[in-house]
Amino acid sequence: MKFTWFNLMPWPYLPDDFREKNRSVWVDIDQKLFDPVKSHEVYNTYLDLLEYAAEVGFDAIGCNEHHQNGYGLMPSPNIIAAALARRTKDVGLVVLGNSIALYNPPVRVAEEFAMLDCISGGRLIAGFPVGTSMDTNFCYGQIPALTREKYQEAHDLIIKAWTTREPFAWNGRYSKLRHVNIWPRPIQQPHPPIHIPGGGSVETYDFCIDNTYSYSYLSFSGYIRAKALMDGYWKRVTERNAPDRSPYRAGFAQTICVADTDAEAERLYKEHVDYFYNRCLHVYPGFADAPGYRTIKTIQTGALSQYAPPKGGYADLSWKQLTEEGHVIAGSPETVRQRMEELCKSLNVGNIFCLMHVGNMPKEKCMYSTKLFAEKVIPKLRNMFPEFKNDERFWCHPIKQVKPGSLPSEAKALESVGAGR
Amino acid sequence: MDGEPRYESENDMSLELKTVKTHHTPVRYIEGGSGQPLVFLHGAGGATTADPFLAKLAAKYHLYAPLIPGYGDSEECHSIRDMLDFTLHTWDVIEALGLKNPILVGHSMGGMIAAEMAAIAPNDVTRLGLICPAGLWLDAYPIPDLFATMPFEMPQLLFHNVEAGTAMLTAGLQLDDPKFLQTYLVTNARQLGMAGKILFPVPDRGLSERLYRIKAKTVLIWGDSDKLIPPAYAHAFKKGIAGAELVSLPEAGHMVTLEKGEQVVQALGRLG
């Protein structure tokens, strides 16, 4: 099992009447709700929490990409990852952004990911999302019906830029480059492992299976509601004659809150879970799916409705429902262990993106929950899939890490250069 | 009450749905009537044989109304991607229909395509009717984002008489039926997916820089209460196309073709 500590980086100061007074947390969210001065502390606390998760033993720490979004303060995941690359060692860096259709030319992504891999010593796990319709179409203006074609071309160009050892010309429909020759290139060969976040598009299943990429379902609805989607994925894995059903072919995001007892979990975390589900997920439905963003094939499978939020939204769900229905896995270490085991087995997933910071959760509670999960839950789940324990295809392969503080003392430096001689 | 909008189809004029082969894809088109050939290019909402405005056109002209691939029961076309593709494809359709210099009329998105066609081949179009066309962008009058508009919000953007418009848009829709909804989603994705290639996220593909090429006698027709493409755009088009005439129709919105169909046909009569 691989556990990645994930922070969406929500803005923690959305007002109590946010839902009533605002139509959307995303795309056209009110500028007045953001306070740049307060954000200084928010960002740095969130970075500290990510570093803390690395210290207590998570396999990786992760960030993602959203734009104009009140629950995701990371329009540029690479900036967050760069900060983490310098301050951590040995922990994987899962960067589940770069929505590669957005960047022109896409070699910029190849270059920045290469830089991250070099700086971190081969710790990068690269994410290539198509991006939500909110981000890709409504915020970044990509034409919905052309987004996937552009994504595909960007992918092909990035992989070629990473793996070709001489300059080449690229005559694409969306990028035309006479001299592609990225410098630097990544440490990991032939390239860093790739995870693709998806939301039920058949095309994305096939893309992952055919390229040996891990398919990540990043849902906020929990593992019980994810069953239909993940079953669809595994069915496809079989249909396309993949050589194995390794659980590392898949990843899943789950909101997790651990406390000493189930009752304590409710007492400590309920308000933050409420904040996340009722304020952060308040998205205007007109932004959910620009016509043309999903392929006809995907809509025709008729499955999308099953993945939608519960009828009536989250506002009406009690703590009991949220936890019993699996939106949130919360409780004592033993409760959480049981439910996590159920999650991993029922969905057959080996990569877990642990959403341990929830909504407006303060850092102290987040540390408590994180530490309990790392110490009392992870060790018991570690060897869930023994037959695939050597499957390293979907994970990073770091080199020996350079220690921070590599500079000599000033006196030694002066002596070494022969200063003043 | 006199002047109350009436939207029922006129049954005396039968319109037929046919297919013509083109380079990219088979194209569905609606044909009816007799007289001078007139090609009508529909807006982002599409067109059907039950469209009362098409019936009115067919009562006076030999009407051809080709559907953009993806509209009606046709498949979307992946190789039509940008404005030039749409423009040349529609010329291909006219060629395939065996027409030479028909009266060229377009509504909204169709008006944008018609204007592009007239700009790219100015010697092949001598009569051009643009009914509240898309294609320009004025910062002072931002056009609402059609692609983020929920179905229930549409009538306010499209009609002068919102109540009558709502009744017409929702007639016959079984919004509680999941099967209907899925078909609706597929249709919407197909149609607006194609439309988005020239309209999303800002419906401007550089037409303003090409309007000067248009030589056709041009009539611009606009509803005074158009809230989707407000009348300020009528003046921008008038300024851009030498000698264009503007016919403004009171008490009509963006669906001026439905709210004032008779007057629109009359105004097109100025093209001769």
Side-chain angles (χ1 to χ4, degrees), chain A residues 86-143:
Chain A
R86 273 290 292 168
R87 301 256 299 168
T88 58
K89 259 170 48 87
D90 302 322
V91 71
L93 297 175
V94 176
V95 188
L96 278 188
N98 290 214
S99 304
I100 55 178
L102 301 182
Y103 300 103
N104 186 17
V107 284
R108 176 65 180 237
V109 175
E111 290 172 332
E112 290 195 3
F113 270 170
M115 286 174 72
L116 283 171
D117 204 44
C118 293
I119 294 169
S120 70
R123 290 187 281 138
L124 177 70
I125 292 152
F128 289 170
V130 173
T132 66
S133 193
M134 292 71 113
D135 292 316
T136 304
N137 306 132
F138 288 109
C139 295
Y140 263 41
Q142 300 301 314
I143 292 172

Side-chain angles (χ1 to χ4, degrees), chain B residues 205-225:
Chain B
R205 296 295 187 265
L207 176 60
S208 65
E209 288 161 42
R210 294 185 283 275
L211 282 180
Y212 79 92
R213 291 176 49 90
I214 296 177
K215 290 182 183 169
K217 179 176 170 59
T218 303
V219 173
L220 291 158
I221 301 164
W222 230 282
D224 278 351
S225 340

